[in-house]
Amino acid sequence: MNLVLTLVSAPDKARLDPAALSSIAAALSRAGANVAAPDWLEPGFACDLGFSGLNPASAQNIALAMLGGDAVDCYAQASAGRKKQLLLCDMDATIVTAETLDDLSVFATDKAEIDALTQKSVKGEINFTQSLIARVALLAGLTEAEFAAAYLKVELSPGAETLIHTLRRDGCYTALVSGGFRYFTSRVAARVGFDIDISNDFEFEGGKTTGKLIPPIVDPDGEFGKLGRLRHLTAELKLTPEQTAAIGDGSNDIPMLSAAGLGCGYRGKAKVKATIGCQLNYADLTGLLFYMGYRRAEFAEPLS
């Protein structure tokens, strides 16, 4: 079979059983597909259905219709080349659970305005770079002690460490790339185990922020932004686009997700869900490993 449909349940309860898979396979067969027997990646939680004779988008839509809104993610793709050699990850609301700038804005006078700009930016309602510059200006005067206090609130998303540990063990280069700030990305990257972090730097004078960023700005599609870094690292590592993966939640991630061989939305905002075919709405970040064809027994769990 040259194609594969992967189904991944939410981690709180096994929602996949032989009867459900049989119903999906039957629906695919009625649409003209030749379907292989289920290949369990983790019994009850993740399974591959190899198939041929039907385009991936159609197979995925049929599976989603059969699932009827149950908490199961699915993605159809080519069987060959599923495991990748480069992964770029967004940080805020992807590798970590919240927006770090929201945690930082607690210490600003204009928190409500900053948070509103953040939400409009991730939803794609306003230009990311202009929004970022405006938000940073409103953070003028913050101290390094306030940055440290904001970092204490940062929580990792479930599965983040397992995802990165597994891929790095197998030789995949991992980059944390964010339109946020290096104070946070450097610490999160070290905590999770990324090879590198790419983000924006605040300008400090006298121990306080000036309200400006040090150029260049990491934006959605510029040379030094998420798309640009994906292209740069792909070339530097002598890879093809098909050997790359990316994951993120916001509209500013769409250029990067669209260009990667496997671009996945994680709890994606509306524009991401409308644009990107691969999604993880229910599974944790280890769902990306299942999409790459890993079995649960192959995961490299973190030591702590």
Side-chain angles (χ1 to χ4, degrees):
M1 303 291 176
N2 64 324
L3 300 167
V4 63
L5 172 72
T6 304
L7 299 107
V8 187
S9 172
D12 62 322
K13 179 182 176 182
R15 290 174 169 82
L16 293 173
D17 57 34
L21 292 172
S22 179
S23 297
I24 292 171
L28 295 175
S29 296
R30 289 193 297 271
N34 182 20
V35 186
D39 180 10
W40 287 100
L41 305 175
E42 182 183 10
F45 286 94
C47 185
D48 277 349
L49 284 177
F51 70 97
S52 60
L54 186 66
N55 73 67
S58 296
Q60 187 169 319
N61 288 335
I62 289 169
L64 288 170
M66 294 300 296
L67 290 166
D70 201 358
V72 175
D73 293 307
C74 66
Y75 180 56
Q77 61 184 313
S79 301
R82 290 167 70 183
K83 292 183 178 178
K84 306 302 181 183
Q85 295 300 305
L86 169 64
L87 172 66
L88 270 69
C89 298
D90 172 51
M91 182 178 70
D92 294 324
T94 301
I95 293 298
V96 303
T97 58
E99 297 285 338
T100 50
L101 196 146
D102 289 352
D103 294 332
L104 197 56
S105 68
V106 169
F107 303 102
T109 304
D110 300 304
K111 174 176 171 52
E113 184 177 353
I114 294 169
D115 292 352
L117 285 168
T118 298
Q119 287 306 308
K120 288 182 179 180
S121 176
V122 296
K123 291 177 182 177
E125 296 173 0
I126 54 177
N127 176 271
F128 173 83
T129 304
Q130 292 175 349
S131 164
L132 180 64
I133 291 171
R135 285 177 284 164
V136 168
L138 293 170
L139 292 171
L142 265 62
T143 66
E144 292 184 21
E146 289 166 330
F147 274 75
Y151 179 70
L152 290 177
K153 298 179 180 180
V154 173
E155 296 181 2
L156 300 180
S157 295
E161 291 172 290
T162 300
L163 171 66
I164 300 306
H165 282 233
T166 302
L167 292 178
R168 286 198 66 185
R169 178 201 65 195
D170 291 348
C172 179
Y173 192 83
T174 58
L176 183 66
V177 56
S178 173
F181 312 113
R182 181 155 289 114
Y183 185 92
F184 298 102
T185 61
S186 62
R187 288 161 174 77
V188 170
R191 184 170 159 189
V192 177
F194 283 88
D195 288 288
I196 192 174
D197 67 290
I198 301 163
S199 57
N200 292 302
D201 265 329
F202 271 102
E203 182 181 79
F204 276 86
E205 284 184 4
K208 295 183 178 182
T209 58
T210 65
K212 297 178 181 180
L213 292 172
I214 299 172
I217 292 175
V218 176
D219 58 8
D221 49 14
E223 179 184 353
F224 295 98
K226 295 182 177 182
L227 177 59
R229 294 302 87 190
L230 172 63
R231 290 172 171 166
H232 172 79
L233 288 170
T234 300
E236 186 177 78
L237 297 169
K238 297 180 171 57
L239 302 175
T240 65
E242 291 73 26
Q243 293 175 293
T244 70
I247 189 165
D249 73 297
S251 62
N252 59 308
D253 296 311
I254 290 175
M256 172 181 74
L257 299 179
S258 299
L262 174 61
C264 185
Y266 180 74
R267 310 292 190 270
K269 305 302 186 290
K271 281 194 175 183
V272 175
K273 290 181 178 178
T275 308
I276 304 299
C278 178
Q279 297 286 331
L280 288 173
N281 297 314
Y282 307 108
D284 64 24
L285 285 167
T286 62
L288 191 62
L289 293 174
F290 287 128
Y291 283 167
M292 290 186 187
Y294 280 90
R295 301 178 186 279
R296 171 64 69 174
E298 297 177 291
F299 288 7
E301 302 293 351
L303 297 176
S304 57

